[in-house]
Amino acid sequence: MTISSESNTAGPFAGNGSTKAFPFAFKVFSTSELSLEKTSAAGVVTPLVFASDFGVLLNADQDAAPGGTITYPLTGAALAVGETLIVSTDLPYTQLTDITNAGGFLPQIVEDALDRNVRLMQQQNERTARSVRAPLGESMANLPPAAERANKLLTFDDDGDPVAV
């Protein structure tokens, strides 16, 4: 299959006090590759744990119909008004495909490996997009050491370099 979507997130889903099923439409290879975070009405973000906090039902054919449904919570009251959920990937940065010299060439194995690499790049891109970045052509100077940053604010000097105050 091709990975025709750049998205590796679903949501945020707004709580309404009754909905417990939340769909997602990106390809995953295993339920363990999903990450779920709940944000409270006060803005507190809590990572949720697969199998104890939430469940996953994957679509049977991830190539033809990628994604599935998250069930949250597994027990108890539904997501309250003012709370939100967001689903993302949490793929390990490993290479799991082993193509042997004496074995048969199975295109699906290669296709899955390429799809997984694209998912990893999308995951990294999504995380990088949420970070502080310098404009193209500039670089961020080194941050002050942790001991100098402790209990201080990050600001910028007259040259635009980061300093702790």
Side-chain angles (χ1 to χ4, degrees), residues 9 52 54 57 64 77 82 89 102 127 132 135 146 150 154:
T9 61
S52 60
F54 69 95
L57 177 62
T89 57
R127 291 176 179 180
V132 176
L154 183 64

Side-chain angles (χ1 to χ4, degrees), residues 13-17 38-44 78-85:
F13 298 104
N16 61 12
K38 177 176 96 171
T39 303
S40 72
V44 176
L79 193 64
V81 172
E83 296 178 327
T84 60
L85 286 181

